[in-house]
Amino acid sequence: MSKADAAAGILLVGVTFYALFGGADFGGGVWDLFAGGAERGERPRALIQRSLTPVWEANHVWLIFILVVLWTAFPEAFYAVMTTLYVPLTLAALGIVLRGAGFAFRKSIEGLQGRRAAGATFAISSVLTPFFMGAVVGSIASGNVPADGNGDAFSSWLEPLPLLTGAMFVATGAYLAAVFLVGDARRAGEADMERYFVRRALGAAAVAGVAAAAGLVELHAEARYIFDRLVDQGLPLVILSAACGLALLAVLLRGGRRPLRPLAAGAVVAVIWGWGVAQFPYLLPTSLEIGAAAAPDPTLEVVFVVFGVAAVLVLPSLGLLYALSQRDLLEHEH
């Protein structure tokens, strides 16, 4: 494996963690949006608030990691993406800012109307932000980002595959969040909330499945290179994802307790790594290969050193945070 391929692997690791933790974070906001009126949605929103409060800021560490690695290790690809897809990226960044502000202020702001406005900002941004992020990924997969950058600002992502990918990002985040919230409701002894989120996990799985099937059709039409590799080299990972998804549905329908989260994570991780295998050896299919886009070896070596330091210092800290949160050992807002 070349140094450039190793750096691409590190980038894919960051994407995987952000898809899991950031996706579930956004998904909680999706269920907040669809929880209903103040009285009907009070208990689901309270559970979502308790689950997100300890970790919502930490989840975006992975996005920063992705951007820094892409910018440092693959500057040509970073330039091409940023100068072509700046519209959806700007909208996603704006959504992250508005979402954080809405989540932070909706419990502390005075006045019912102000709290509702902050809550609506949080919830709506939780849908729009992953949608635009998915549109960026779909546009890259479609080959709509030219290697020299400065592609069309709108037609590059306003096409069926990018839009379907955006919808799949939203549905997948909602699916992950619902599964995670099932476990949180069980620990809290709220059986009705457990059933509530089981139904929503099943619904989100169905929507994500439909979006994925439609996406495969469009992938065949718009990105044949990736489609062919996905059903060839990436097929074992596609099968693994489907197996995890079906096993999770069976556990939910039986009312089982374990292993919900590993199965949900496995289904999503397999899809992400299947996409990575299908896109290889390109960063921008089929115009910019990983080796051609990579920074000089000394720069890549610095990336490896920083990644090693982060793995030793940051990963255990984040792991401790998530473990304490899952065991309800952190103080919650009341």
Side-chain angles (χ1 to χ4, degrees):
M1 177 185 292
S2 68
K3 291 180 180 179
D5 291 341
I10 290 173
L11 185 62
L12 190 59
V13 168
V15 170
T16 302
F17 278 116
Y18 189 57
L20 283 177
F21 298 112
D25 193 328
F26 289 125
V30 172
W31 296 125
D32 188 289
L33 179 63
F34 294 111
E39 183 176 350
R40 178 185 172 191
E42 180 180 3
R43 293 189 63 213
R45 288 191 177 102
L47 180 61
I48 293 167
Q49 180 83 17
R50 292 199 306 269
S51 298
L52 291 184
T53 296
V55 299
W56 70 277
E57 290 178 294
N59 290 330
H60 292 299
V61 167
W62 300 112
L63 178 59
I64 298 170
F65 175 85
I66 292 167
L67 292 174
V68 170
V69 172
L70 181 61
W71 173 36
T72 306
F74 303 101
E76 289 187 32
F78 182 87
Y79 172 82
V81 170
M82 292 297 168
T83 58
T84 300
L85 299 174
Y86 57 87
V87 173
L89 286 168
T90 298
L91 292 172
L94 180 62
I96 290 174
V97 172
L98 292 176
R99 183 178 183 273
F103 186 77
F105 289 125
R106 69 175 183 169
K107 287 296 182 181
S108 57
I109 196 170
E110 294 185 1
L112 179 60
Q113 189 171 4
R115 287 197 297 272
R116 284 179 173 174
T121 299
F122 161 72
I124 294 172
S125 298
S126 296
V127 175
L128 295 180
T129 302
F131 174 80
F132 288 120
M133 288 182 175
V136 168
V137 172
S139 180
I140 293 171
S142 298
N144 293 342
V145 179
D148 56 356
N150 295 300
D152 190 274
F154 292 95
S155 64
S156 58
W157 61 280
L158 290 175
E159 290 187 351
L161 182 57
L163 297 178
L164 281 169
T165 306
M168 189 167 64
F169 268 47
V170 175
T172 301
Y175 167 69
L176 284 171
V179 172
F180 290 1
L181 287 165
V182 167
D184 291 343
R186 284 177 179 172
R187 281 196 309 277
E190 301 180 27
D192 56 337
M193 285 293 97
E194 180 182 337
R195 293 189 296 270
Y196 177 95
F197 282 109
V198 165
R199 292 192 298 270
R200 278 145 185 81
L202 294 172
V207 173
V210 171
L216 282 175
V217 173
E218 287 300 323
L219 196 66
H220 182 273
E222 299 181 34
R224 190 59 186 266
Y225 174 84
I226 291 182
F227 177 86
D228 289 343
R229 284 186 57 88
L230 187 64
V231 298
D232 188 359
Q233 289 90 339
L235 186 58
L237 289 164
V238 173
I239 294 173
L240 175 61
S241 176
C244 288
L246 291 173
L248 176 58
L249 292 178
V251 173
L252 288 173
L253 290 171
R254 284 187 304 133
R257 294 178 174 267
R258 298 188 180 194
L260 294 180
R261 294 188 179 195
L263 287 173
V268 174
V269 170
V271 168
I272 295 168
W273 282 79
W275 164 58
V277 169
Q279 190 163 308
F280 187 83
Y282 293 99
L283 275 180
L284 300 177
T286 51
S287 60
L288 185 62
E289 292 190 2
I290 292 171
D297 283 355
T299 302
L300 296 181
E301 290 166 3
V302 172
V303 171
F304 299 149
V305 171
V306 172
F307 178 72
V309 172
V312 172
L313 298 180
V314 178
L315 287 180
S317 301
L318 290 174
L320 177 61
L321 173 63
Y322 292 130
L324 293 175
S325 174
Q326 291 304 305
R327 296 176 185 177
D328 293 323
L329 296 177
L330 298 175
E331 183 179 354
H332 296 286
E333 294 180 358
H334 298 284

